[in-house]
Amino acid sequence: MSKQINLPHDDSSCGWYAALSQQPACKRLHGEQRADYVVIGAGFAGLAAARRLGELMPDKRIILVDAQRVAQGASGRNSGFVIDLPHKFALEHPDPAHKQRLLSLNRAAIAQLQGLIERHGIDCQWSHAGKYQGAVGQRGLAYLAHFEQLLKNLGETFRLVERDELAQVLGNTYYSRAIFTPGCYLMQPAALVTGLAHSLPENVELLEESPITRLQRKGQGGWLLQGSQGTIRTAQLLLGTSIFTQEFGYLRNRLLPVMTFASWTRPLNDTELAAYGGQLDWGLTPADHAGTTVRMTQDRRLIIRNTYKHVPKYGKSTSDAMRESVRDDHRRAFLARFPQLADVPFSHTWGGVYAISRNFTNFFGELEPGVFASACDNGVGAAWGTISGTLLAEMAVGGDSAQLRDIQTVTGMPSLNPPEPFLGLGVRSRIRLAAWNSRSEL
């Protein structure tokens, strides 16, 4: 197989990445390289896969390669939730055992991340803060009641929080009610993934700013990865490439590239913090999934995330004008919640692209002999990427475990998409309809 790769094209305005201290110079792909295993994509899945390979195969050479710097892609652009509970669509699965497997896998990922953070001293605002799921009006309250029933059916711990109590946390009375679930962790995603990258095993070599532009099968059981300044030969290839998996010829017409956007403020000063009146270090997701996610970070920044776009050309589907329009939408959502902070500006607005599937199914497994992939996290990237990458490495070396069997049970093949232009028309129409129906929750 030989195919030209369409590369990531992310904006340079991600607040999380801008808040990092200056990163050390990176190592790039040069010349002819050979490795026993190559992992493409240094997000949560790729980092976990490379780490586990390094642990399991200490005498083998493993190369982890990414087109950008670590944390410049999707893993450094999310809102910083590491969620244990599956999203609504997975919670509605009819098989209770399926949901328990998902919970167990997500919680194993959280425990794994916490262990790595403690062992390597990764400073990433890691916090067992839990998560609020909030409702504004009647539409949101109906979704919240449904979520409450799903949690009861699952036997999960939760707490209803009414407006007045919620206002003491959030610094506003915008929300009518929320459900608090204790299992979620919060973090600074760019700081976390760079910390994970800097603490990889010694036999894992990280190559950044080294896009793979062509992938070719060379004889039986071998691959040649072509970059602009070098090549890598390997017998075993693991893809932690999310939506870009389709660029390598796999899962074609099965993944939907969607971008969601966030804006955040500069850190609030003492006067602004007093006017805000709420707490630090919390996160709220909307009961209506098309609503607004809000966070207050440990370092006093407020984050607003909403607005979804279908991006068939990934970052090239966006523009400065689009981000300005999104920023205006975020400003309206911010002022509706925090009118007392009208003079506090946004410092950054950014987008991040991720993969969803029409049947909300995650892919995990062997695509063809010697090629393994975890793709399509359906919006739960930090936890799912961590555990799926770890288990993908175990599969690649012929391992077996209860967790590996569990992830194989709960994953499958994303369904086929309609052809263009019908796909684009349908996705854009659905996004617009969801935004319209959810306008009271924005």
Side-chain angles (χ1 to χ4, degrees), residues 4 15 22 25 59 67 95 103 106 136 180-181 203 226 241 323:
Q4 191 68 31
Q22 185 173 353
D59 298 326
D95 181 7
L103 273 170
N106 287 340
V136 179
F180 177 80
T181 50
N203 59 326
Q226 180 71 56
T241 44
R323 279 190 292 276

Side-chain angles (χ1 to χ4, degrees), residues 283-363:
L284 179 145
T285 57
D288 179 351
H289 67 275
T292 297
T293 294
V294 189
R295 263 199 70 185
M296 168 57 94
T297 66
Q298 291 180 11
D299 59 352
R300 301 183 173 190
R301 300 175 189 268
L302 282 161
I303 302 172
I304 297 289
R305 187 191 74 178
N306 60 38
T307 311
Y308 296 83
K309 303 286 186 183
H310 177 228
V311 285
K313 295 182 180 179
Y314 316 124
K316 289 184 178 179
S317 296
T318 67
S319 65
D320 291 341
M322 178 189 288
R323 279 190 292 276
E324 283 299 318
S325 175
V326 167
R327 190 184 184 96
D328 290 343
D329 291 340
H330 289 171
R331 196 69 193 168
R332 285 190 286 272
F334 177 81
L335 292 175
R337 291 161 174 80
F338 306 106
Q340 71 274 36
L341 300 177
D343 293 333
V344 178
F346 287 147
S347 61
H348 297 83
T349 296
W350 66 92
V353 64
Y354 64 99
I356 62 173
S357 60
R358 293 174 62 238
N359 58 350
F360 300 101
T361 296
N362 308 66
F363 180 85

Side-chain angles (χ1 to χ4, degrees), residues 100-317:
Q100 289 297 337
R101 289 187 181 98
L102 289 173
L103 273 170
S104 177
L105 290 166
N106 287 340
R107 286 171 176 163
I110 290 172
Q112 179 178 328
L113 287 170
Q114 179 154 346
L116 291 169
I117 289 164
E118 293 172 352
R119 188 178 317 139
H120 298 291
I122 299 173
D123 183 6
C124 63
Q125 300 183 33
W126 181 258
S127 170
H128 189 184
K131 180 174 73 69
Y132 295 91
Q133 187 144 320
V136 179
Q138 290 304 310
R139 179 181 173 85
L141 289 169
Y143 275 103
L144 200 65
H146 180 55
F147 181 54
E148 179 182 0
Q149 189 59 53
L150 291 173
L151 292 175
K152 287 179 178 177
N153 294 343
L154 197 58
E156 281 295 302
T157 298
F158 69 93
R159 185 169 65 87
L160 282 169
V161 186
E162 302 296 340
R163 187 193 302 269
D164 289 345
E165 181 185 355
L166 195 58
Q168 295 177 22
V169 177
L170 308 185
N172 65 76
T173 58
Y174 190 75
Y175 290 91
S176 301
R177 174 181 292 175
I179 288 176
F180 177 80
T181 50
C184 177
Y185 283 67
L186 301 178
M187 47 81 178
Q188 208 278 38
L192 176 54
V193 291
T194 54
L196 294 171
H198 295 158
S199 60
L200 289 167
E202 290 184 0
N203 59 326
V204 177
E205 185 174 1
L206 172 62
L207 302 177
E208 300 174 87
E209 295 183 347
S210 301
I212 300 303
T213 56
R214 195 173 297 275
L215 181 63
Q216 293 177 287
R217 172 72 80 177
K218 288 294 184 182
Q220 294 297 317
W223 289 93
L224 178 67
L225 285 63
Q226 180 71 56
S228 59
Q229 300 294 323
T231 61
I232 314 173
R233 290 184 181 271
T234 187
Q236 301 279 349
L237 182 61
L238 284 72
L239 301 178
T241 44
S242 186
I243 186 62
F244 296 97
T245 306
Q246 62 189 2
E247 295 300 327
F248 294 95
Y250 300 108
L251 305 179
R252 297 291 299 276
N253 303 317
R254 294 182 182 275
L255 306 179
L256 293 169
V258 174
M259 184 173 284
T260 185
F261 295 84
S263 295
W264 77 359
T265 67
R266 57 161 170 73
L268 303 186
N269 61 37
D270 290 346
T271 300
E272 292 160 348
L273 191 66
Y276 154 66
Q279 299 177 10
L280 297 178
D281 197 29
W282 54 262
L284 179 145
T285 57
D288 179 351
H289 67 275
T292 297
T293 294
V294 189
R295 263 199 70 185
M296 168 57 94
T297 66
Q298 291 180 11
D299 59 352
R300 301 183 173 190
R301 300 175 189 268
L302 282 161
I303 302 172
I304 297 289
R305 187 191 74 178
N306 60 38
T307 311
Y308 296 83
K309 303 286 186 183
H310 177 228
V311 285
K313 295 182 180 179
Y314 316 124
K316 289 184 178 179
S317 296

